[in-house]
């Protein structure tokens, strides 16, 4: 089965469509099938993005990017320390 990545904005739009269909009397299974997702995905999305608007979703994705950026910076700093340590060892100054 093909995995599709949806942006938070797309997810919020899909959840709004789902709310309209659910209010009209459709079941969660029918709505999920129409959206092309599983019921579990629908519930997970609803728990995570349920009360958000698209601006909040953009801010959330920025926070995730900032977190990833901080992790990569720490990783780079550790590698730089390893390189400096190996240079000292190769010079014999230990």
């Amino acid at each position: 089965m093909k995995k599709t990545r949806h942006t938070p904005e797309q997810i919020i739009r899909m959840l709004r469509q789902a709310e309209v269909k659910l209010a009209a009397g459709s079941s969660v299974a029918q709505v999920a099938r129409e959206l092309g997702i599983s019921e579990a995905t629908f519930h997970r999305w609803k728990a995570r993005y349920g009360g958000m608007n698209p601006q909040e979703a953009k801010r959330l994705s920025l926070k995730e990017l900032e977190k990833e950026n901080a992790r990569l910076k720490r990783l780079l700093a550790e590698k730089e320390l390893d390189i400096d340590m190996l240079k000292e060892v190769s010079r014999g100054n230990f």
Side-chain angles (χ1 to χ4, degrees), residues 63-76:
K63 284 182 183 179
E64 290 173 355
L65 288 174
E66 288 172 352
K67 187 185 294 186
E68 177 70 10
N69 192 24
R71 185 186 71 79
L72 291 172
K73 283 181 179 181
R74 279 193 308 275
L75 186 63
L76 178 63

Side-chain angles (χ1 to χ4, degrees), residues 53-64:
N53 61 33
Q55 294 299 327
E56 292 172 335
K58 285 181 183 178
R59 188 174 59 225
L60 176 67
S61 62
L62 284 175
K63 284 182 183 179
E64 290 173 355

Side-chain angles (χ1 to χ4, degrees), residues 21-89:
K21 291 177 183 179
L22 288 171
S26 296
S27 69
V28 173
Q30 288 173 326
V31 171
R33 193 173 327 116
E34 289 174 11
L35 295 175
I37 58 174
S38 69
E39 286 185 59
T41 299
F42 174 79
H43 290 294
R44 186 173 59 247
W45 284 359
K46 190 170 180 182
R48 185 168 184 185
Y49 300 104
M52 289 187 183
N53 61 33
Q55 294 299 327
E56 292 172 335
K58 285 181 183 178
R59 188 174 59 225
L60 176 67
S61 62
L62 284 175
K63 284 182 183 179
E64 290 173 355
L65 288 174
E66 288 172 352
K67 187 185 294 186
E68 177 70 10
N69 192 24
R71 185 186 71 79
L72 291 172
K73 283 181 179 181
R74 279 193 308 275
L75 186 63
L76 178 63
E78 290 174 7
K79 293 298 178 188
E80 290 291 330
L81 287 173
D82 289 345
I83 290 170
D84 288 342
M85 180 187 66
L86 290 171
K87 284 180 182 177
E88 288 291 321
V89 168

